[in-house]
């Protein structure tokens, strides 16, 4: 898609066409399921490209499953798919650990804490597993995780690397 003189819409159209033909060719021959993952969908703002995906999502073969990954609300008109129960949406709240899950995660990694410390850990990490992992990496040798998180200010090498790779690298 980044090649000189390439047209992303044309490339996407060819991808969809090839996938559709491939699935149709094995229709009846194999009940295998196919998963198509489209990452960074929020970058696909062009209405022509979105227009190519809509009929594919609505009328694709039943053994095709599409996973749309986006950091913002999908721009696709998916109301018909929502209405027929064909869309499962996971939001940031679904991906965060709740108190119980944070406690289980910590126990699985050899960390134990009081209910008050667990509350502090959840508040400081937001329930995000990567924040828990980074905090545990940077905490080694500093006492309890809860104590360490109270003093953690964001100058950890682990936190800086994650911020750089996962957030800043995504910016234009």
């Amino acid at each position: 898609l980044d090649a000189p003189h390439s047209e992303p819409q044309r490339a996407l159209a060819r991808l969809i066409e090839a996938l559709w033909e491939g699935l149709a060719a094995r229709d009846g021959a194999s009940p295998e399921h196919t998963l198509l993952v489209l990452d960074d969908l929020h970058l696909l703002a062009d209405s022509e490209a979105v227009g190519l995906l809509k009929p594919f999502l609505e009328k694709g073969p039943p053994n095709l499953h599409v996973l749309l990954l986006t950091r913002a609300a999908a721009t696709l008109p998916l109301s018909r798919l929502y209405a027929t129960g064909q869309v499962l949406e996971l939001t940031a709240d679904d991906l965060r650990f709740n108190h119980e899950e944070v406690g289980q995660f910590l126990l699985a990694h050899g960390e134990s804490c009081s209910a008050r410390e667990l509350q502090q850990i959840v508040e400081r990490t937001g329930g995000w597993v990567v924040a828990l992992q980074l905090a545990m990496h940077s905490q080694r040798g500093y006492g309890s995780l809860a104590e360490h998180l109270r003093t953690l200010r964001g100058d950890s090498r682990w936190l800086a690397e994650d911020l750089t790779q996962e957030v800043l690298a995504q910016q234009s």
Side-chain angles (χ1 to χ4, degrees), residues 42-86:
H42 56 280
L43 299 176
L44 189 64
D46 186 295
S47 62
E48 185 178 337
V50 169
L52 291 170
L53 282 174
K54 184 182 179 205
F56 182 71
L57 294 172
E58 289 180 345
K59 299 177 182 133
N63 60 338
L64 173 66
H65 307 280
V66 182
L67 181 60
L68 306 174
L69 304 172
T70 179
R71 293 179 185 256
T75 57
L76 290 167
L78 302 173
S79 59
R80 181 183 301 162
L81 297 173
Y82 275 105
T84 58
Q86 294 178 289

Side-chain angles (χ1 to χ4, degrees), residues 39-158:
D39 196 2
D40 290 335
L41 192 66
H42 56 280
L43 299 176
L44 189 64
D46 186 295
S47 62
E48 185 178 337
V50 169
L52 291 170
L53 282 174
K54 184 182 179 205
F56 182 71
L57 294 172
E58 289 180 345
K59 299 177 182 133
N63 60 338
L64 173 66
H65 307 280
V66 182
L67 181 60
L68 306 174
L69 304 172
T70 179
R71 293 179 185 256
T75 57
L76 290 167
L78 302 173
S79 59
R80 181 183 301 162
L81 297 173
Y82 275 105
T84 58
Q86 294 178 289
V87 172
L88 172 64
E89 182 177 34
L90 296 175
T91 65
D93 288 336
D94 297 314
L95 299 175
R96 282 188 192 107
F97 282 4
N98 62 31
H99 282 75
E100 182 182 334
E101 292 165 330
V102 169
Q104 290 171 355
F105 179 83
L106 294 175
L107 282 174
H109 288 85
E111 292 282 340
S112 61
C113 57
S114 69
R116 188 169 94 66
E117 288 175 323
L118 179 60
Q119 176 65 32
Q120 291 171 341
I121 292 169
V122 171
E123 286 174 7
R124 288 302 306 256
T125 63
W128 292 106
V129 70
V130 71
L132 289 164
Q133 290 173 322
L134 292 171
M136 286 189 303
H137 280 293
S138 66
Q139 168 259 345
R140 294 198 173 115
Y142 289 101
S144 79
L145 182 60
E147 289 170 6
H148 178 60
L149 282 174
R150 279 195 294 276
T151 63
L152 196 59
R153 299 287 177 243
D155 57 354
S156 162
R157 186 188 81 185
W158 298 104

